[in-house]
Each structure stands twice: as structure tokens, then as C-alpha cells.
Amino acid sequence: MGSGIFQKFELLKKTKIKQQLYFIYFAAIVLPITIIGSFLLINTSKLLTNYHRDLLESDNLRVKTILFEITTQVYNISEELTFDNDLREMLGHSYYIRSSMEQKASEITILDNYSYNHAEIEGIEIYTDNPSFMEYKQFHPADETVQSSEWFQKAVNQSSVFWYPMMTMDKYGNEYWNLCLIRKIPLKNSAHNAVLVIKISDNYLKTRINSQEYAAMISVDKEPVFYSSNRELYGSQQPVAIDYEEDYFQYVGTQKINGRNCFVEMSTLHMYQSESRVYIFTMNDQAYRNISNIILICLLIIALAILIPGIIIHYFTVYFTSRVLTLRQAMHQASNEDYEIVNSVRGQDELSEAFSDLEIMVQKIKQKDADMYEARINEKELVSAQQAMEFKMLASQINPHFLYNTLETIRMKAFTVGDKEVATAIKLLGKSMRYVLENTGTSFTTLDHELEHVENYLAIQKLRFGEKFDSCLEVAPQIQLAQLYILPLLLQPVVENALLHGLEEKEANGRIVISIYRQQDFINIDVSDNGCGMDEKELSELQKNIEIKDMSRSKSIGLYNINQRMKLSYGEDCGIQIYSAVNEGTTIRLCILEEKMKTY
């Protein structure tokens, strides 16, 4: 592990200081904050989700407790009513005079007492199929519609209590629902049936159950919803599919309701002394949004924690590297015997101290040169020496490095007098010459060095042609230019061909695009222009010329040589492909096996 870290630091030393600082920023800030932030986001999301689900479960339990309390109390009232002897006796008689029935009913005050003294009860009604009964207060004769109803039939055929939702219409014609306790009142010595119906007040339920944060929907057995926080949902089905075969059905999760993600819980309440089951559905339609907002704020904080140091480090990196480059340029200038150094590295840090030491060294060199010339050489000897040096230079081969240094000196002179365009041109020419001279006789160079030479060439041509064309380089993300080797001086003739021939008729808005990407086992290098292009005949002739050697022709010699170099070096599967269309431009593609480019 230690050797691996050491190797990484060794690789880091080979990169520019700017890249090193960015790497440190990524390794010390971006990566840790991203990992820790991701962990915190996931953990926060889980905690908030569990928190809201616990609250939802508590609210569901609250509703269940309230409902159980109310229904149990109503059941106890029904017990007293069902077995009240006066009521049973009154229901068991036959009445032929209405006044006699009304007088007997008026004596039964227990119904009114429970209705008035219990806010949870909206009404107590008794239905009987005794034909002698008439409509009076809580007593209702069961007509054919009532007798054929599901709840009446169920009540007369079983002795146990059950719960049933009933839709009622008020005097204004508005429909509303009530949860009703229904049970049969056993009558002595009577062939008729009486059914007790106790309606629980919907308004009372709303007062007890309603919550600002949570919505609730309640249904009984397989019947539709009889209570909802939203009145429009009365009579609808529960939003969660219920398994009625399961004794204690429960569901906790997330549902999309009305286009919004909601936390929901469905639970089952077995009614006291009854086989009826109440299904309680509660939901929170704000929790998901609240969690999302909190997560978004956390993401924003993490992004700012990465971005703000990134901006600071970026500006510091630009400032620091500019000072390093200034110091390097001054040292390079001194190494080329140009001692006119201007101190532009201000401050009191190590870089400014290094620049001060450089200035002291340059001054000492200049002083020693002055002392030497003053003591040993007079004006005549200086002229003779200069002539001898000129003769020697003309008589011998020009040292490539001396020529590059001379160009650099001329560039610095031009830069010093303010002619930046000439200085730039000389600098680009010097780089091109150095690349050509250094790669003369060499077999391979890295692809990034070859592209740098192409960029220098395009920059020189840009100075020549101005706004006639522009260029760009597109490299696929997975391509590592510094790890791929290529024949030196292979791309520049192709680019030159695109510029001189492809864009020959372009006065302006010319464009050259160099694209490098992987296609199966090959690395493709496309050089495209938006020039006039070629028709099929011209394209066919050009493709023939780059494959067959013909010394009599004057065109396509460069492309032929490049194609042959590639086939000799990389194999017959490699070479040049040309695509062109009239008025759409031309693309020259260099196809090289990737494995060939990874060996030197």
C-alpha cells in the first residue's frame, strides 16, 4: 500500500503545479465532502422518513383509539336500549289508534336522553315491520325499501351487532354519511322484527379526528368510505387495495395520490363485540415534500462547501502558477544570456525571495562580464572576435538548439518592444522547429506532443489567414493522449491538406475539427473541414492516389506517404480513409490499432 501511494506521488510530480493543486483540491475536499455528504444525505433521508412514518403511525393509532372509544360507548348504549323492557314491550304491541301509539312512545324517554346527552350520537332510530306502527319521533315503520335493504336483512337474520355506513340527506338536500351501529331488538311474544340504528355524528368525528397535518379516510368492511377529511371523497373506495381475507390488514408505504407522493398507513380495527372491521387510512401529503426540501438544502450546502473552496483554490492557483511561470520565464531568459530581467514577482514569500536571488545572480554575472570585457578586450578585438564568430557560425552547421535559443532571444526582444504578434509568431515557429528537429530520426512520439505541434502549426496559420478559419480539438473522455504513441509529423500534413485544399475556396467561416475517439480495436483520428468537398469521381480518384504510387502526379503525394508510413509501421489494417460530399466538406480519418499505439 505504501509503495502504491509513493508511486502516485511520483506521478503527481510529473504533472504541472496547476494540475497538482487541482488534484489536491479534489482529493482533500471534493472526494471527502462527496463521500461524507452522500452518507449524511442517505442517513438524513432515512431518519426523516422514519420520523414522519412514526408520526403517521401515531396519528393512525390516535384515530383508531378515538374511533374505538366512540364505537365502544355507542355499543354500550345499544346494549341498554336493546334490553330495555319498556322499549321491548312497547315494540311488541299492536296499535290501532295513533294516539295510543304516540302516548306509549312518549313514555319511552330513554331514546331522547341518550340523543341529547351524547354529542357523538347524531340520532337513534328504530325500524319495525309491525304494520300497526306509524312514523313518530325515533320510530319508523319499515316499508318495502327498508325491508329489502341489505342492512335490514342482515340485522333480522343475525343476533350480533354490526356496523354499516349510511348515506343521509338533510333538509337542504345535501348528502352526508354516518357510521351506524345496527342490531336487532329481540321482542317477546311477537312475530314482528325491530332493528335499532344508532348514527354516529359525522361532525363529532371531524371534531375529534381532523388534523391539520394528516388526512384520514375510514371505511367499514367492504363498504365505501364513510368518513374523510375531504368531503369529496365520501362514498369512494380506499386508495390502498385491501386484503379482506387478512384478519389484521396493515400497509405502510408511499402512494402517489392526486399527483403527489404521500406517506400512507392503513390499519384494521376490530369493533368491540362485533365481527365488523373498520379500515383506517391516514396520510401525510406534505412530509415527502418537506423531506425533499431538506435534502435539497443539504445538497445545496454540500455543493457550496465544494464550490466556494473550489473558487478560492482556482483563483489562488491562477495567481500562484502565474508567479511560478514568471519566475520560470525569467530563469529561462537568464539561461539564454538575456539579463534584462524585470522583477514582477512581488511579495515576501519564497517565490519572491527566489526571484531576488535570481536578480542578484544575474547582476553578478553581468558585473563579471563587464569586468572581463573592460580588462581584456578593447573595441578592435571585440570587432575581430565578432567577425570570427560570424565566420565560424557560417562555416559550421547550425546547432538546432542554438537556432531555437536565437529565435527565443528574438522573440523576447520583440516582446520587450511591445510587438506581441511577432513575438507570438516567433515563439510558435521556434516550437515547431524544435519539434521537427527533436523528432528527426526518431520512430515515435506521444500523441499529445504530436497534437501540440499541430496546434502550433494552426496558430501560425491563424496569424497568416486571420478570420478565414478556426479550429477545435475533440478528444473522447476515455482517451489518454500521453499514453498513446504515434509516428512523428504524421498529423500536420493532413491538417495542412485540409487547410490549403479543403478550405481553399473559403473566404471566411472556415472550420477544421480534429476528433480522436475509440472505435472497437482502433483509435480513429478525424481531420474534418467544412470546405467545398468533392464529388464521387474526385473522391474515388483521391482514394486511388493514396493507395497506388505514381511519381508523375504532383498532388496527393503527402497523403500517399502518410498512408504508406502507417501501413509499414502499424500493419495493413491501418491507414487513411476519406469521406467527402459536395458543399459539405471532407473528413480524412487515420485508423490505427490501439494496441500498436501502446507500444513504443
Side-chain angles (χ1 to χ4, degrees):
M1 181 176 177
S3 61
I5 296 175
F6 178 76
Q7 289 177 356
K8 291 180 180 178
F9 277 107
E10 287 297 319
L11 291 174
L12 193 61
K13 292 179 182 179
K14 297 179 182 180
T15 61
K16 303 280 187 184
I17 292 179
K18 190 174 185 179
Q19 281 72 33
Q20 292 182 27
L21 290 173
Y22 285 140
F23 175 80
I24 292 171
Y25 161 70
F26 177 81
I29 296 179
V30 176
L31 196 58
I33 290 179
T34 301
I35 294 173
I36 296 172
S38 299
F39 171 78
L40 291 177
L41 283 176
I42 294 171
N43 193 47
T44 301
S45 178
K46 288 182 178 178
L47 289 175
L48 289 173
T49 300
N50 292 335
Y51 170 74
H52 282 286
R53 284 182 175 171
D54 289 343
L55 290 179
L56 185 63
E57 183 179 355
S58 298
D59 189 73
N60 190 276
L61 181 60
R62 178 186 68 86
V63 175
K64 186 186 295 184
T65 303
I66 292 171
L67 203 60
F68 182 78
E69 172 196 335
I70 294 172
T71 55
T72 302
Q73 189 168 4
V74 171
Y75 172 81
N76 292 333
I77 293 172
S78 75
E79 281 284 296
E80 295 187 24
L81 293 176
T82 301
F83 297 101
D84 183 82
N85 292 327
D86 293 337
L87 179 61
R88 294 170 65 187
E89 183 181 352
M90 181 259 182
L91 292 171
H93 278 79
S94 297
Y95 301 94
Y96 301 100
I97 302 174
R98 180 179 179 89
S99 59
S100 175
M101 180 257 178
E102 290 179 355
Q103 181 181 357
K104 193 67 175 176
S106 298
E107 294 174 358
I108 307 297
T109 60
I110 190 172
L111 300 177
D112 292 329
N113 291 337
Y114 279 122
S115 295
Y116 295 149
N117 295 328
H118 292 269
E120 69 271 18
I121 297 177
E122 181 174 308
I124 301 176
E125 297 176 347
I126 297 176
Y127 293 86
T128 178
D129 55 6
N130 188 339
S132 66
F133 264 72
M134 290 157 282
E135 188 80 24
Y136 181 72
K137 295 178 67 175
Q138 296 95 342
F139 299 95
H140 307 279
D143 56 15
E144 292 183 3
T145 303
V146 172
Q147 292 186 38
S148 62
S149 63
E150 179 184 353
W151 61 269
F152 191 87
Q153 290 293 324
K154 185 175 180 181
V156 298
N157 290 320
Q158 70 179 44
S159 58
S160 60
V161 175
F162 68 93
W163 295 84
Y164 192 83
M166 285 189 177
M167 186 177 68
T168 310
M169 185 175 294
D170 61 17
K171 62 182 179 179
Y172 302 105
N174 299 317
E175 294 180 350
Y176 63 96
W177 291 72
N178 295 102
L179 176 63
C180 301
L181 179 144
I182 302 175
R183 67 184 300 174
K184 179 180 179 181
I185 300 176
L187 302 179
K188 296 179 180 180
N189 303 320
S190 176
H192 301 296
N193 298 303
V195 177
L196 173 66
V197 177
I198 303 178
K199 295 182 178 181
I200 296 178
S201 171
D202 183 65
N203 290 330
Y204 181 81
L205 287 179
K206 283 190 177 297
T207 303
R208 295 288 304 275
I209 294 176
N210 264 9
S211 169
Q212 292 183 350
E213 188 173 356
Y214 302 97
M217 295 176 66
I218 308 174
S219 62
V220 59
D221 294 331
K222 298 182 181 180
E223 302 302 325
V225 170
F226 67 83
Y227 172 85
S228 173
S229 302
N230 182 0
R231 284 193 175 275
E232 295 179 356
L233 298 178
Y234 276 76
S236 63
Q237 294 298 319
Q238 291 278 18
V240 174
I242 302 173
D243 183 3
Y244 294 103
E245 301 299 325
E246 188 176 344
D247 283 342
Y248 288 91
F249 175 78
Q250 186 171 13
Y251 173 82
V252 179
T254 303
Q255 288 279 333
K256 198 161 190 177
I257 299 175
N258 296 328
R260 299 175 67 176
N261 289 320
C262 306
F263 286 123
V264 302
E265 178 167 354
M266 171 76 77
S267 64
T268 305
L269 170 64
H270 285 260
M271 304 299 274
Y272 180 68
Q273 296 295 327
S274 172
E275 294 182 356
S276 296
R277 300 175 190 172
V278 171
Y279 297 97
I280 302 169
F281 173 85
T282 53
M283 73 173 184
N284 186 343
D285 59 352
Q286 297 295 328
Y288 197 86
R289 177 179 294 179
N290 293 339
I291 293 173
S292 298
N293 291 337
I294 293 173
I295 296 300
L296 186 62
I297 292 172
C298 293
L299 279 173
L300 183 61
I301 293 172
I302 292 172
L304 289 175
I306 294 174
L307 182 62
I308 292 175
I311 294 173
I312 295 172
I313 289 176
H314 170 71
Y315 281 107
F316 172 77
T317 300
V318 171
Y319 167 73
F320 181 75
T321 53
S322 65
R323 298 177 76 218
V324 172
L325 290 174
T326 301
L327 176 60
R328 179 180 176 275
Q329 186 178 6
M331 295 178 67
H332 185 72
Q333 183 178 341
S335 69
N336 289 327
E337 300 180 358
D338 182 2
Y339 304 128
E340 300 300 324
I341 298 174
V342 179
N343 187 357
S344 57
V345 179
R346 306 297 180 185
Q348 298 180 353
D349 57 5
E350 290 82 352
L351 287 177
S352 58
E353 292 174 356
F355 202 98
S356 298
D357 292 341
L358 177 63
E359 285 184 308
I360 294 172
M361 182 187 70
V362 168
Q363 291 299 328
K364 289 181 178 180
I365 294 174
K366 290 172 67 176
Q367 185 61 42
K368 288 182 180 180
D369 287 347
D371 293 343
M372 181 184 65
Y373 280 106
E374 184 180 357
R376 297 183 180 183
I377 302 175
N378 54 32
E379 185 177 356
K380 184 176 179 179
E381 291 174 339
L382 181 59
V383 173
S384 299
Q386 287 176 342
Q387 291 176 349
M389 289 175 64
E390 292 174 358
F391 177 78
K392 185 176 181 181
M393 184 175 68
L394 292 172
S396 62
Q397 291 184 345
I398 298 176
N399 187 305
H401 296 286
F402 175 76
L403 179 59
Y404 175 77
N405 292 337
T406 303
L407 285 174
E408 180 64 16
T409 301
I410 296 172
R411 184 186 74 82
M412 291 305 301
K413 292 293 185 181
F415 186 85
T416 302
V417 299
D419 196 341
K420 295 183 179 180
E421 185 172 356
V422 173
T424 301
I426 294 173
K427 180 180 179 181
L428 294 172
L429 178 60
K431 285 186 176 181
S432 296
M433 291 183 63
R434 167 168 278 188
Y435 182 84
V436 173
L437 293 171
E438 288 180 350
N439 286 280
T440 301
T442 61
S443 300
F444 294 94
T445 186
T446 57
L447 185 53
D448 59 341
H449 288 161
E450 179 72 5
L451 289 171
E452 183 180 359
H453 173 60
V454 170
E455 289 177 350
N456 290 335
Y457 169 77
L458 288 171
I460 293 173
Q461 296 302 324
K462 187 71 176 177
L463 292 173
R464 174 186 175 189
F465 292 106
E467 300 300 324
K468 179 178 179 179
F469 77 97
D470 59 9
S471 61
C472 72
L473 174 64
E474 299 176 348
V475 181
Q478 68 272 24
I479 301 296
Q480 302 293 328
L481 299 177
Q483 299 178 7
L484 299 176
Y485 293 91
I486 192 172
L487 294 171
L489 305 174
L490 193 70
L491 298 181
Q492 185 266 334
V494 180
V495 175
E496 182 178 2
N497 183 82
L499 178 62
L500 299 181
H501 298 293
L503 302 180
E504 183 178 7
E505 297 180 10
K506 281 276 187 180
E507 293 297 330
N509 299 322
R511 184 169 179 82
I512 294 177
V513 178
I514 302 173
S515 304
I516 302 175
Y517 56 94
R518 181 182 287 109
Q519 188 176 28
Q520 295 180 353
D521 296 331
F522 288 83
I523 297 295
N524 290 345
I525 305 175
D526 290 355
V527 179
S528 306
D529 63 71
N530 63 342
C532 58
M534 295 178 285
D535 56 27
E536 293 184 359
K537 182 178 179 181
E538 292 173 326
L539 179 61
S540 176
E541 183 178 353
L542 179 58
Q543 290 174 334
K544 178 180 178 182
N545 289 339
I546 65 174
E547 295 291 338
I548 302 174
K549 184 176 182 180
D550 185 0
M551 299 303 297
S552 63
R553 69 173 184 266
S554 59
K555 295 183 179 181
S556 306
I557 296 296
L559 295 180
Y560 170 80
N561 290 335
I562 292 172
N563 191 47
Q564 293 304 309
R565 287 178 66 195
M566 291 177 64
K567 290 185 178 298
L568 290 173
S569 298
Y570 300 124
E572 289 296 324
D573 293 337
C574 305
I576 291 178
Q577 299 174 2
I578 303 175
Y579 307 91
S580 185
V582 176
N583 297 324
E584 292 183 9
T586 301
T587 297
I588 297 179
R589 178 172 298 164
L590 282 67
C591 301
I592 308 173
L593 281 168
E594 185 175 3
E595 62 177 1
K596 296 286 186 179
M597 298 185 73
K598 291 184 177 179
T599 57
Y600 182 72

